[in-house]
Each structure stands twice: as structure tokens, then as C-alpha cells.
């Protein structure tokens, strides 16, 4: 991490990881619709770790990106053989309808407004919204307590025990010390997991 905030450097776990793992630099904010569709397509189980399903569906459809206007082509050619739950199909349809009805500059909206707007789309949950804020809009202080991998990482590195709401409460308490740079801490922890995966190959 090229710039490691002092508030994170004070955390011995994060400081150690930052010395080991290069965190990919942030790119300009991405396409909210495209990434939101990807989250919905791939969120079939809690251990989601790659974007392979979405990329393969894009390849089949002959598309680099999905737009609201091109969604029917993507659905027919890219998702035809993908086994999605009915609730996911419904969420995709609701997402397309929302974006066709709203032309928004997401980069200009505060976090709370982004959350409220995306939450109004049937089938779009808190984890998905956190992923958009964290990885698409690059907001600096996002903490996705529902993320499967983050739960594993914090349990491993910080010895946090418990399950369900109790585990998330303890995670949030610990992450309070990372404000206003919780996103950087999360990205570092996830980068460490990816680095470990590469070493194991």
C-alpha cells in the first residue's frame, strides 16, 4: 500500500500485513450498473471468491460490459445456461428497471444516498451495496461486516470468536479503530487472502 494511514499503521496486524502484501492501487470509479449485475449473478453462495461466472457469461454474450439497453442480449446469450434462483432473476429484472428509470451520477452522491437508492431495488441486499461502495465507487470508509471472507480473515488474524450477529458486532467494534479508513483495511485483508491463495498454487 503506497499510502498507509497512521490510524491503520497503529494496528499491529494491519501494519504487519502491509509490509508483506502489495494492495492493488485504486482505479477510477467504475460502472455501478455493470458491477451490480455482476454481484447479483455471482452471489449464489457465501463463499464467492472470483468473478469467473460473470466474465464467462459476458464472453458468451460477446460483451465487455453490460448496460441497461443491452441487458436482453446479455440475458439471452450470456445467462441462458446459468442456473440462477428465481429470486436472482427477479432482482436482475428490478435492477434493470431501476436503471432505465434513473440516470444518476453515482460518484456525486453521498454514501447514505447510494445505500438508500440501491436498497430500494428489490433483491439488492446490504452486502451487494457494500461491494459497490467499496470496489466500484471506492468510498474510503466502508466495512462489509456480512462478507464471508472478511469474517474468516478477522477471526483468523484477531482471534474473534462467535457466529452470526455476535461475530459481526465484535468485528464492527474492532473496525471502529480504523475509521475513517476502514475500506483500506478491508482491501488489505482481502489482498492478503489473495496473496496466500497465489502462494499455495
Amino acid at each position: 500500500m503506497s499510502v498507509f494511514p497512521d490510524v491503520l499503521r497503529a494496528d499491529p496486524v494491519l501494519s504487519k500485513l502491509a509490509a508483506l502484501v502489495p494492495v492493488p492501487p485504486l482505479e477510477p470509479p467504475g460502472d455501478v450498473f455493470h458491477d451490480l449485475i455482476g454481484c447479483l449473478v455471482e452471489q449464489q453462495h457465501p463463499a464467492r471468491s472470483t468473478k469467473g461466472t460473470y466474465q464467462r457469461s459476458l464472453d458468451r454474450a460477446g460483451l465487455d460490459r453490460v448496460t441497461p439497453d443491452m441487458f436482453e442480449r446479455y440475458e439471452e446469450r450470456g445467462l441462458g445456461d446459468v442456473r440462477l434462483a428465481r429470486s436472482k432473476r427477479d432482482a436482475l429484472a428490478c435492477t434493470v428497471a431501476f436503471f432505465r428509470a434513473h440516470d444518476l451520477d453515482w460518484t456525486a452522491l453521498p454514501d447514505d444516498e447510494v445505500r438508500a437508492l440501491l436498497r430500494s431495488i428489490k433483491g439488492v441486499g446490504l452486502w451487494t451495496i457494500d461491494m459497490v461502495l467499496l470496489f466500484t465507487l471506492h468510498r474510503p470508509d466502508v466495512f462489509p461486516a456480512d462478507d464471508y471472507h472478511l469474517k474468516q480473515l478477522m477471526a483468523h488474524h484477531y482471534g474473534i470468536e462467535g457466529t452470526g450477529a455476535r461475530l459481526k458486532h465484535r468485528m464492527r467494534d474492532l473496525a471502529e479503530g480504523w475509521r475513517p479508513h476502514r475500506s483500506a483495511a478491508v482491501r488489505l485483508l482481502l489482498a492478503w487472502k489473495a496473496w496466500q491463495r497465489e502462494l499455495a498454487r
Side-chain angles (χ1 to χ4, degrees):
M1 184 178 294
S2 57
V3 178
F4 194 55
D6 289 342
V7 69
L8 302 186
R9 195 180 302 279
D11 182 305
V13 170
L14 297 180
S15 184
K16 178 180 178 181
L17 296 184
L20 295 171
V21 184
V23 178
L26 288 175
E27 299 177 355
D31 184 328
V32 171
F33 178 80
H34 174 83
D35 289 352
L36 187 56
I37 294 297
C39 284
L40 292 171
V41 166
E42 295 196 338
Q43 194 184 2
Q44 297 300 305
H45 53 77
R48 171 181 176 269
S49 60
T50 70
K51 292 191 175 182
T53 300
Y54 191 34
Q55 186 57 55
R56 287 191 295 272
S57 68
L58 289 170
D59 292 343
R60 285 194 298 271
L63 296 171
D64 294 323
R65 305 194 72 76
V66 179
T67 67
D69 290 340
M70 295 293 291
F71 184 78
E72 281 76 12
R73 170 180 169 177
Y74 168 69
E75 186 175 35
E76 179 181 352
R77 301 182 184 181
L79 293 181
D81 296 328
V82 178
R83 302 176 70 178
L84 294 178
R86 177 60 181 270
S87 60
K88 290 296 178 187
R89 295 278 182 181
D90 290 345
L92 289 170
C94 290
T95 300
V96 173
F98 177 91
F99 276 79
R100 284 177 174 172
H102 299 82
D103 184 16
L104 299 168
D105 180 3
W106 294 95
T107 62
L109 300 177
D111 291 4
D112 288 348
E113 192 167 349
V114 172
R115 288 185 185 281
L117 286 166
L118 294 182
R119 196 74 179 95
S120 72
I121 304 173
K122 182 181 178 181
V124 175
L126 299 178
W127 176 86
T128 302
I129 296 169
D130 279 340
M131 293 300 102
V132 169
L133 286 166
L134 183 63
F135 291 111
T136 304
L137 296 175
H138 307 315
R139 299 301 167 87
D141 197 35
V142 180
F143 184 72
D146 288 313
D147 187 75
Y148 175 84
H149 300 292
L150 186 60
K151 290 176 183 177
Q152 286 189 322
L153 288 161
M154 292 186 71
H156 171 74
H157 287 291
Y158 293 95
I160 299 176
E161 299 179 351
T163 58
R166 185 177 183 183
L167 173 60
K168 288 194 288 185
H169 179 74
R170 292 179 174 179
M171 290 167 60
R172 288 191 177 103
D173 279 350
L174 191 152
E176 282 297 306
W178 301 340
R179 287 183 182 271
H181 301 287
R182 289 182 298 173
S183 295
V186 171
R187 292 180 66 244
L188 175 59
L189 286 162
L190 294 175
W192 180 87
K193 182 179 179 66
W195 177 64
Q196 289 289 299
R197 190 185 301 120
E198 286 297 319
L199 290 179
R201 287 182 177 178

